[in-house]
Amino acid sequence: MNLRVSLRGRVLLAVSPMLFGAALLTSAASAKTNSSPSKPNQSAVTTNIASAAIEIPRSVFTVPATEKQGKDPFFPRSRRPFASAVVISPTNPVPVVADLRINGTSGSEERPLVIINNVTFGVGDTNEVISGSRRVSVRCLEINLSAGMATVQADGRQRVLRFQKLDK
């Protein structure tokens, strides 16, 4: 069955839903304006109160300790969350001793100088030297060129460093 619709019929079919929607909107708007002004719209009041009272919940994620408590949602076959981490703390940590060497001496008997790990020190001088892979603060307390020794304080401890005596 071949049905032919004229141009006027096609326009009427296309425009009629829009006209029906517009008629509904105008009737709804007139119903709102015809309500009494002394009595507020109850649905608007409850909507405002309800929107102010609604609190958006926050997501809380807990890591399960056992398989019965749950699994990792991103990696469900992973056993990593259930592995217990063993932390071993040393009871007596080994103190790190700075490797200090006297590379040379200079100066006079009244004002002696020593070179410790390529840094020159006089009596009372404090400086940082490189020992291994770290920096150590060293303070020179005493230098005795004739005895071939220097007393320094490093890592909170006093140490005596020996070197070859000067022959005069």
Side-chain angles (χ1 to χ4, degrees):
M1 178 172 169
N2 196 0
L3 191 65
R4 295 185 125 205
V5 180
S6 67
L7 181 62
R8 191 179 301 169
R10 287 183 200 164
V11 171
L12 186 61
L13 283 173
V15 174
S16 63
M18 288 188 282
L19 291 174
F20 181 70
L24 282 176
L25 285 175
T26 55
S27 68
S30 66
K32 284 186 180 180
T33 57
N34 290 340
S35 64
S36 63
S38 63
K39 188 175 182 182
N41 190 356
Q42 291 296 328
S43 64
V45 172
T46 57
T47 305
N48 290 340
I49 292 171
S51 65
I54 294 176
E55 184 176 327
I56 299 173
R58 297 217 174 230
S59 298
V60 178
F61 298 101
T62 57
V63 178
T66 63
E67 286 187 55
K68 292 180 182 177
Q69 291 177 348
K71 58 185 174 181
D72 188 345
F74 301 108
F75 302 99
R77 294 184 187 152
S78 174
R79 306 276 305 146
R80 179 191 47 81
F82 313 118
S84 62
V86 178
V87 179
I88 300 173
S89 61
T91 55
N92 294 328
V94 177
V96 178
V97 179
D99 180 30
L100 300 177
R101 287 174 276 130
I102 294 182
N103 299 96
T105 61
S106 64
S108 62
E109 283 289 329
E110 298 83 37
R111 226 177 129 92
L113 299 172
V114 291
I115 302 170
I116 302 171
N117 291 15
N118 298 325
V119 179
T120 305
F121 288 89
V123 176
D125 290 348
T126 303
N127 208 341
E128 286 188 348
V129 298
I130 296 175
S131 172
S133 62
R134 64 186 189 113
R135 293 182 178 266
V136 180
S137 178
V138 176
R139 181 166 191 246
C140 183
L141 302 174
E142 177 188 0
I143 301 172
N144 190 344
L145 292 176
S146 60
M149 60 180 254
T151 306
V152 296
Q153 183 174 5
D155 292 330
R157 297 182 298 178
Q158 281 191 1
R159 294 177 56 187
V160 176
L161 304 176
R162 304 222 180 256
F163 57 91
Q164 193 173 15
K165 298 181 211 178
L166 291 177
D167 293 326
K168 287 192 176 185

